Amino acid sequence: LVLSSRDADVELVQAIEYSAHPMQGKKIRDFEPDVESDLSLTPELMPGADVVIDFSSPDGTKTLAKRAEELGIALVIGTTAKDFEWRAAVKESSKKVPMIHAQNFSLGVNLVFKVAAQIAKSLGEEFDIEIVEGHHHHKVDAPSGTAMGIADSICSEIGRDVKNDLVYGREGQVGKRKSNEIGVHALRMGSEIGLHTVYYASEHERIELTHRASTRDVFAAGAIRAAKWIKGKSAGYYEMTDVLGL
């Protein structure tokens, strides 16, 4: 809210929260004093917006996406979930309105998606790949959407199956590591905003590709950039690589 209110190219026309939210009906400036706005929180998307930015919950996103379809409003979605069926269901809305659904709106992370895949392809099958993500102890899902995004990009580039070749943590007598598997591991600690490292290791050397977020504003800034880019686009499913011209 603060970043959008400071952007001369953005007009804030609505703020949405679930109906039982304790601040429902309150003016934005009452809970976000840095935003000079008389708008009040509402429980449902209403006509009048060009683009809606959504960082909520899987159920909330599904409801919002359907509503955006009805109103012809473009979608910028940052809600994440490991559920592949849910992701496919949300993507259906892109047949009627333009949509960007990103695992992470950080510009740096989206470069990592691309570079991680390129490194995996260049190094070849003799290198084992492991992905480790770390977040604050309040995060309720694991692995992170960003870790899954990295895994998706790598699997697409080197022909691995994201449903069958990913191994989420290891415990007990798991046996020898299979050559096609990619490990995905989650850390939950303190106030960590977002830490992601991809390890590539052979018998002779190891490469580490790391991104670390310093502030949560990085996600808001990327989402606002995506919203400005998607305004006026035709219906379809877009990615942050399109926004960045990659």
Side-chain angles (χ1 to χ4, degrees), residues 146-168:
T146 300
M148 293 303 298
I150 294 171
D152 281 343
S153 63
I154 291 174
C155 286
S156 296
E157 189 68 32
I158 64 176
R160 303 282 174 87
D161 188 332
V162 74
K163 290 187 178 181
N164 298 315
D165 292 335
L166 302 186
V167 176
Y168 301 98

Side-chain angles (χ1 to χ4, degrees), residues 18 32-33 50 87 89 93 120-121 165 196 202 227 237 241 243:
Y18 64 96
E32 192 61 81
D50 296 309
R87 289 159 64 180
S93 294
K121 182 179 181 180
D165 292 335
H196 295 85
S202 71
Y237 188 81
T241 51
V243 178

Side-chain angles (χ1 to χ4, degrees), residues 24-231:
Q24 190 58 251
K26 299 286 187 181
K27 293 184 183 297
I28 294 175
R29 65 186 180 195
D30 291 338
F31 58 87
E32 192 61 81
D34 290 332
V35 179
E36 295 183 5
S37 174
D38 288 325
L39 290 172
S40 299
L41 277 183
T42 58
E44 183 182 44
L45 178 63
M46 301 300 290
D50 296 309
V51 184
V52 58
I53 298 175
D54 173 58
F55 287 81
S56 57
S57 66
D59 287 343
T61 294
K62 285 179 68 175
T63 300
L64 182 77
K66 289 298 181 183
R67 179 65 171 162
E69 281 185 38
E70 297 171 4
L71 299 175
I73 296 174
L75 285 156
V76 173
I77 299 173
T79 307
T80 61
K82 183 185 169 186
D83 187 332
F84 295 101
E85 288 72 24
W86 171 82
R87 289 159 64 180
V90 170
K91 189 175 180 178
E92 283 293 305
S93 294
S94 66
K95 295 178 180 178
K96 297 184 178 179
V97 294
M99 172 193 292
I100 295 175
H101 187 186
Q103 306 288 358
N104 192 306
F105 279 96
S106 156
L107 305 185
V109 161
N110 281 278
L111 287 174
V112 167
F113 289 156
K114 189 172 185 65
V115 172
Q118 291 175 336
I119 292 174
K121 182 179 181 180
S122 297
L123 292 177
E125 295 188 0
E126 62 199 63
F127 278 76
D128 298 326
I129 302 173
E130 300 281 316
I131 301 168
V132 178
E133 59 96 342
H135 285 84
H136 52 87
H137 55 223
H138 298 292
K139 187 170 177 61
V140 298
D141 62 312
S144 68
T146 300
M148 293 303 298
I150 294 171
D152 281 343
S153 63
I154 291 174
C155 286
S156 296
E157 189 68 32
I158 64 176
R160 303 282 174 87
D161 188 332
V162 74
K163 290 187 178 181
N164 298 315
D165 292 335
L166 302 186
V167 176
Y168 301 98
R170 297 182 179 89
E171 181 181 8
Q173 299 298 315
V174 297
K176 181 181 177 181
R177 187 188 199 280
K178 297 176 183 177
S179 61
N180 63 320
E181 71 182 44
I182 297 176
V184 184
H185 313 275
L187 309 177
R188 295 293 174 263
M189 50 190 180
S191 59
E192 183 67 57
I193 294 173
L195 172 65
H196 295 85
T197 298
V198 187
Y199 295 88
Y200 308 84
S202 71
E203 296 283 353
H204 313 293
E205 60 184 324
R206 184 175 77 193
I207 298 170
E208 300 177 14
L209 175 64
T210 295
H211 177 276
R212 188 169 206 160
S214 302
T215 169
R216 289 182 176 81
D217 284 353
V218 69
F219 311 122
I224 291 170
R225 179 164 171 174
K228 291 193 288 186
W229 180 89
I230 204 171
K231 178 187 175 184

